[in-house]
Amino acid sequence: GTHLIDAHVEDSLLKIVDKGTGSERYRHNATVLAAYNLMSCFWTFETGKLYKLSQPDNIYSGLGEDELASRNSDSKKTTQIARQQALARADCIVQTFGGVRVVTLSGDPATSLFSKYEHFFDVIFLGINVSQHLPQVSKLLKPDGAYLHVEAAKFFVPLTIQQRRLYAQKIHAMATIANLKPTYKLQSAPLQDDPAVTELLGECPTAPLDLDLRILSYSSASSLSSDD
């Protein structure tokens, strides 16, 4: 909930007010951003459309699209419109998740629970608190064309900038050893000299170019270029 999944609303929802007064603050807190993220996801699931705000600072202002039913004075017609809207949303949800299966895994990746999913997943997401398990979890990806998304440390407040850079380097190092290809651009020199990272990377000391990344994404596709 500390960042927005939709870049097109960042200017309005991440607005800083009272600039230059010594009491600058964000217009919205993390709870509001989390609520927006959830509404945006569910709106897309239900309608197949991008969630758009009619009022820049009001996260609920994009919910007015289906108000026609509630504003109509004819109760019979209102019921009919509401039914049509509900059926359309239900159909969109079915289409959105058709053929999709979500599996949540916890515990030690070395256990039999994980081994039965070897080469099983098309997409895997790792939170920052379990990112150290990347080498083991990468074995659960399908061998070609699957994606591994690892949460970056951009919003991990306790870490310094240098620690966040080192974290990105180590994630990239583990992904390199696992033969995964980054989907982001690289730079040829390490951002911070660290023996552990150098040892992992060997003769290829590369690291993420964009330190503002929220997600570090990799693919098992052998032909994928980092420029893609």
Side-chain angles (χ1 to χ4, degrees):
T2 55
H3 70 278
L4 293 165
I5 59 175
D6 297 330
H8 68 280
V9 295
E10 286 187 348
D11 288 343
S12 58
L13 297 188
L14 296 181
K15 182 189 300 182
I16 298 176
V17 297
D18 295 335
K19 289 184 178 180
T21 65
S23 59
E24 294 89 348
R25 66 188 187 280
Y26 283 104
R27 171 70 176 80
H28 299 287
N29 58 31
T31 301
V32 174
L33 301 187
Y36 171 85
N37 286 339
L38 287 173
M39 286 193 296
S40 179
C41 286
F42 285 118
W43 181 269
T44 303
F45 295 158
E46 295 181 7
T47 67
K49 302 175 183 177
L50 185 68
Y51 185 63
K52 296 182 179 180
L53 303 180
S54 60
Q55 301 173 27
D57 291 330
N58 184 354
I59 65 170
Y60 303 103
S61 62
L63 300 175
E65 183 175 300
D66 288 347
E67 289 181 353
L68 176 62
S70 61
R71 292 199 306 263
N72 198 295
S73 59
D74 187 335
S75 60
K76 184 176 181 179
K77 188 173 183 179
T78 296
T79 301
Q80 182 181 7
I81 293 175
R83 177 179 173 79
Q84 291 173 345
Q85 292 173 344
L87 289 174
R89 285 173 178 259
D91 182 63
C92 189
I93 292 173
V94 171
Q95 292 183 38
T96 298
F97 291 101
V100 175
R101 179 184 176 190
V102 178
V103 179
T104 57
L105 297 176
S106 61
D108 187 351
T111 63
S112 58
L113 173 64
F114 280 75
S115 62
K116 75 175 184 178
Y117 288 112
E118 186 173 2
H119 303 317
F120 179 80
F121 293 106
D122 294 291
V123 179
I124 294 177
F125 178 83
L126 285 179
I128 191 171
N129 59 319
V130 293
S131 58
Q132 71 273 18
H133 296 305
L134 187 155
Q136 300 94 327
V137 173
S138 66
K139 298 175 183 177
L140 308 183
L141 291 170
K142 289 183 177 179
D144 191 36
Y147 288 88
L148 175 63
H149 304 298
V150 184
E151 183 181 11
K154 177 180 178 181
F155 299 104
F156 201 67
V157 177
L159 298 185
T160 65
I161 293 178
Q162 289 300 318
Q163 288 171 327
R164 293 173 190 174
R165 289 175 173 174
L166 182 57
Y167 169 83
Q169 281 183 274
K170 289 186 175 181
I171 292 298
H172 177 67
M174 289 189 288
T176 300
I177 298 302
N179 294 318
L180 298 177
K181 308 297 181 182
T183 62
Y184 50 76
K185 295 181 183 297
L186 299 172
Q187 62 180 22
S188 59
L191 296 169
Q192 180 172 321
D193 186 16
D194 182 89
V197 175
T198 303
E199 182 180 355
L200 280 171
L201 291 174
E203 300 300 321
C204 183
T206 53
L209 177 62
D210 184 4
L211 296 180
D212 206 37
L213 290 172
R214 298 167 179 174
I215 301 293
L216 301 172
S217 297
Y218 303 88
S219 172
S220 61
S222 56
S223 60
L224 185 67
S225 168
S226 61
D227 292 332
D228 294 341

